[in-house]
Amino acid sequence: MKKDEISKKWWKETVFYQIYMPSYADSNGDGYGDFKGMTSKLDYLQQIGVKGIWLTPFLTSPKVDNGYDISNYYEIDPTYGNKDDFDLFLKEAHQKGIKVIMDMVLNHTSTDCKWFQESRKSKDNPYRDYYIWKDKSNNWESFFGGGAWQKDTVTNQYYYHKFDVRMADLNWSNPKMVSEVQNILRYWLKSGVDGFRLDVINFLTTDGITADNPIKNGAQEHLNDINQAGVKEAMKIIKTTVSEFDNRFIVGEIGSDKIEVLKQYQSPELLDVVFNFNFGSIKNFSAKRIFDELQSMEKNMSNYPTLFFGSHDMPRMMNRLADGNPDRALALAALMLTAKGVPFIYYGEEIGMQNIVSDSFDEMVDIQGKTHYQLAIAKGKNPTEALLEGNENNRDKSRSPMQWNSNAFAGFSSAKSWIKINPNYNGINVENELKDEKSILNSYKKLIALRNNEKALQYGSYEKLEFQDDQISFTRILGKDKITVVINFGSDKKIALPSGAKILLGKTSLKPNNFILYKN
Ligand code: GLC
């Protein structure tokens, strides 16, 4: 196929919206979001133009890592409802033209999972090889800190856990385990999900425990424990299984900051698209870095990148990249919704939601059961420094409940939520945003509508992609259709439109953080 030939796919026409399950809408007053709550918000999502939802894990889990530690792959966690609630949510979403993809965690399970409970019983248990057991540990480290091995007293062997000690890694060199995973995928595809977001999918242990990882400048280089040679084969099996069903989509979370690593996993036989964290999760704002990354994705992943500035694993875009400035946040949204790629909005971003700040030491418990505050104290920090560090490192700060209105509990629940609600919800909430013509939300709506209506914004290739004076500009071209986008992160500018151009959004005089979209 020629580079620019269009291959039509629904996901290329879709603006996705990530919902962090515990925090979206609570229907039964237990302080956790649930399916019934989400079903009641589908009108809202339809109204803003979202055509795809990514749900973070909702299968049964002890929630050591809020669902990324699954204990039963065939059951909805009761916190979120039951299978009927799920079916109704999916049916109504589909009726509204909204597809739903689910987060699938295949690198590890909770140690509460029946497979693990069996596996730990004895060395000859039929489930033993579903996980990775060794007489001796090696130097591999957990991504949540500390070593990646836990000695189990029942059989006196170590099991391998890349994340929390209560999340044991699956053994992908065991064909029985793999076929079990295939059946899980089939079950949810048959239930009607439109695809998967595959959690840390390049971390699968396909080739077993190989050599120790090298240490560079005092830190471990993850050379042997991730991107193992067999990962692509495993992805192929996943893709083939998903392809038994029509029209499904796979987006992979690839833990790597190297575009060469990312790009090798994105292909018709492997993953449809992958997340590039160099673009989405940069720590501080830099128009040049964002541009460089867009350019690098165009060069390396010309078939289709993803575009996002927020997720449940990073501080909110409004704080991290926009420094609280709504114009900057909107300019970034304009970029994400008009550049080439599949956009993913993180819930609440569309109303300018901000990080929560902990004012109580026990409020935010990290995945290992300790607060980041406690971890910082253990490292010798004083209480003030520890609180600062605790807030800095805590992923929960971007996971606070969706702010629907200024009623008690932000309209999220009728009772206290599982995590603090941002006290700014009186001002920042959906109800207020909808009323204000110039609000962030109404601008998101306009941008999403353009993205939904203009094929050039969905499929167009770049005619130009340029950076000058902190201004990012590009023209998307599809047949005779051309749309130009100018996003000004620098000082005041006046844009000279080509003759006959029609403005779709914005004005020709651009103040800092203003943008314009026009058809030429
Ligand atoms: C992914 C998830 C993150 C989780 C980790 C382990 O990175 O996004 O939230 O903690 O995988 O499953």
Side-chain angles (χ1 to χ4, degrees), residues 353-370:
M353 269 175 67
Q354 303 191 3
N355 291 335
I356 39 170
V357 176
S358 170
D359 47 26
S360 132
F361 298 153
D362 301 324
E363 196 161 52
M364 296 185 180
V365 179
D366 96 319
I367 39 259
Q368 303 187 19
K370 290 202 185 69

Side-chain angles (χ1 to χ4, degrees), residues 100-195:
V100 178
I101 63 169
M102 73 188 274
D103 221 314
M104 199 31 102
V105 188
L106 302 175
N107 177 69
H108 47 266
T109 73
S110 162
T111 48
D112 286 2
C113 181
K114 185 192 97 185
W115 300 347
F116 188 81
Q117 291 299 317
E118 285 298 317
S119 180
R120 82 180 342 162
K121 280 184 182 161
S122 66
K123 288 185 182 166
D124 55 8
N125 187 284
Y127 288 90
R128 187 67 171 181
D129 289 338
Y130 275 41
Y131 297 87
I132 297 147
W133 294 93
K134 292 277 171 216
D135 287 328
K136 269 171 66 186
S137 58
N138 72 351
N139 83 339
W140 292 2
E141 282 173 356
S142 154
F143 287 83
F144 284 171
W149 294 95
Q150 176 69 22
K151 191 163 192 173
D152 202 49
T153 47
V154 186
T155 53
N156 267 329
Q157 276 195 321
Y158 294 84
Y159 68 86
Y160 176 52
H161 62 90
K162 232 183 238 95
F163 293 93
D164 190 83
V165 65
R166 286 157 290 178
M167 294 151 75
D169 276 50
L170 288 165
N171 176 11
W172 274 80
S173 57
N174 176 356
K176 255 180 83 188
M177 194 294 292
V178 175
S179 76
E180 192 109 45
V181 163
Q182 288 180 283
N183 287 337
I184 291 167
L185 297 175
R186 290 185 185 112
Y187 174 79
W188 288 105
L189 291 162
K190 261 188 218 141
S191 296
V193 299
D194 299 286

